[in-house]
Amino acid sequence: AQSVTQLDSHVSVSEGTPVLLRCNYSSSYSPSLFWYVQHPNKGLQLLLKYTSAATLVKGINGFEAEFKKSETSFHLTKPSAHMSDAAEYFCVVSELGAAGNKLTFGGGTRVLVKP
Amino acid sequence: DGGITQSPKYLFRKEGQNVTLSCEQNLNHDAMYWYRQDPGQGLRLIYYSQIVNDFQKGDIAEGYSVSREKKESFPLTVTSAQKNPTAFYLCASSVDPNQPQHFGDGTRLSIL
């Protein structure tokens, strides 16, 4: 069975400083991994995805994530936070099964950006 | 612009009443999904459909029903059997089950 743990439920950063959102996963097979962002009362928007190509994945809005198989981690980073980055972020693992891909969501990390 | 439209944005249900949440997509996606999101939690899968006229139960299907009569539409009915229906409901679609999902803006359901 697959699972996803987002290690911080809340992260607070100052504008212009780096952001680090931590995600660890467990999976029986080689998974696909995603990060999604959700702004208040909105749906989820895909930031980036890892699908067994390059281990360093670049996404939209300056975000990137590194897949580390030995650590079963897929942490999300951004060098310089912007006020518009205040949102909730979800790490998602996907495994291919008999009925297609099954997505498992982490519990989310809420990011607060201080001016 | 292509996308997923969920309606209404806010919905109120009386005790013992069934309500239906609408989800329409014009992305020509085969696969569609319904999720429930509770405060401070990730998303949990209610139902999914890989193709028209076919759907499967997800992890928390009890108290819900769906239909998939058209490719672009995947309505969710929250029945009176769902004892704790207050939540944010998200609909998603993908080209096929192996591709990333695109999400609508959600419907917030509350009990009167």
Side-chain angles (χ1 to χ4, degrees):
Chain A
Q2 58 191 29
S3 66
V4 182
T5 302
Q6 292 183 240
L7 298 167
D8 306 292
S9 60
H10 294 80
V11 167
S12 180
V13 298
S14 296
E15 190 175 20
T17 64
V19 182
L20 169 65
L21 304 184
R22 298 181 295 166
C23 173
N24 286 101
Y25 71 92
S26 68
S27 175
S28 303
Y29 306 103
S30 296
S32 295
L33 294 158
F34 308 89
W35 276 98
Y36 282 88
V37 60
Q38 184 180 32
H39 289 90
N41 294 312
K42 292 289 188 180
L44 278 66
Q45 180 186 17
L46 181 67
L47 279 178
L48 50 81
K49 62 179 179 179
Y50 166 77
T51 54
S52 75
T55 57
L56 183 62
V57 183
K58 293 189 183 298
I60 62 172
N61 301 336
F63 284 95
E64 64 181 36
E66 186 171 8
F67 174 71
K68 292 187 176 180
K69 186 174 182 179
S70 61
E71 299 176 10
T72 61
S73 69
F74 190 55
H75 301 335
L76 181 70
T77 60
K78 182 172 180 176
S80 176
H82 190 272
M83 295 299 292
S84 61
D85 295 328
E88 189 155 22
Y89 293 79
F90 291 95
C91 182
V92 182
V93 63
S94 174
E95 273 190 344
L96 183 60
N101 273 6
K102 176 178 170 55
L103 297 187
T104 300
F105 288 78
T109 298
R110 189 170 296 277
V111 173
L112 171 66
V113 182
K114 297 176 289 185
Chain B
D1 286 341
I4 300 174
T5 301
Q6 290 188 241
S7 61
K9 192 169 179 66
Y10 298 94
L11 186 59
F12 298 91
R13 192 191 92 168
K14 295 181 180 179
E15 295 284 348
Q17 187 180 49
N18 292 355
V19 291
T20 298
L21 284 60
S22 170
C23 178
E24 303 278 331
Q25 54 99 357
N26 60 4
L27 299 167
N28 201 33
H29 287 174
D30 281 317
M32 296 188 74
Y33 311 81
W34 273 106
Y35 293 92
R36 171 182 171 134
Q37 185 178 26
D38 293 284
Q41 298 187 32
L43 278 64
R44 293 182 290 169
L45 182 65
I46 304 172
Y47 267 98
Y48 65 98
S49 168
Q50 296 190 54
I51 200 166
V52 175
N53 293 321
D54 181 65
F55 50 84
Q56 307 292 332
K57 292 182 178 180
D59 298 321
I60 55 165
E62 185 175 352
Y64 300 96
S65 66
V66 294
S67 63
R68 186 84 188 278
E69 297 177 1
K70 297 185 296 183
K71 186 176 186 177
E72 59 270 24
S73 179
F74 191 42
L76 173 74
T77 297
V78 184
T79 74
S80 56
Q82 172 51 244
K83 297 307 179 187
N84 184 24
T86 297
F88 190 49
Y89 290 86
L90 286 161
C91 178
S93 71
S94 61
V95 171
D96 62 55
N98 302 319
Q99 298 301 320
Q101 295 175 16
H102 299 256
F103 286 81
D105 281 344
T107 292
R108 189 167 297 280
L109 176 62
S110 302
I111 299 304
L112 290 177

